[in-house]
Amino acid sequence: MTNVYSLDGVVVFGILFICTCAYLKKVPRLNSWLLSEKKGVWGVFYKAAVIGTRLHHAMAITCLSMALYLVFLK
């Protein structure tokens, strides 16, 4: 179990947040509701979705490497 207050927990949370926002950007109803704001607090969701869609290869490699780290090294 990963602790949120450790560095691995923060990294896992960030990866999952970016991947979830990128997935929600593909759903039309949620895209217009959740990702319509580009500034402020709700803009964090939009920015995470943009990072997830533009850097999808890097995010996939990061997810895979973090999963292997958590399974085999931790």
Side-chain angles (χ1 to χ4, degrees), residues 39-50:
K39 293 182 180 178
V41 177
W42 290 104
V44 174
F45 295 107
Y46 173 78
K47 292 172 185 173
V50 169

Side-chain angles (χ1 to χ4, degrees), residues 27-58:
V27 180
R29 287 185 185 176
L30 293 175
N31 186 14
S32 62
W33 176 69
L34 186 64
L35 303 172
S36 61
E37 293 293 324
K38 296 180 182 172
K39 293 182 180 178
V41 177
W42 290 104
V44 174
F45 295 107
Y46 173 78
K47 292 172 185 173
V50 169
I51 290 170
T53 53
R54 290 186 183 171
L55 299 175
H56 60 278
H57 294 298

Side-chain angles (χ1 to χ4, degrees), residues 5-40:
Y5 299 112
S6 65
L7 182 61
D8 340 0
V10 173
V11 171
V12 168
F13 177 77
I15 290 170
L16 290 176
F17 182 73
I18 290 172
C19 291
T20 303
C21 288
Y23 175 75
L24 292 178
K25 189 172 184 179
K26 302 291 182 187
V27 180
R29 287 185 185 176
L30 293 175
N31 186 14
S32 62
W33 176 69
L34 186 64
L35 303 172
S36 61
E37 293 293 324
K38 296 180 182 172
K39 293 182 180 178

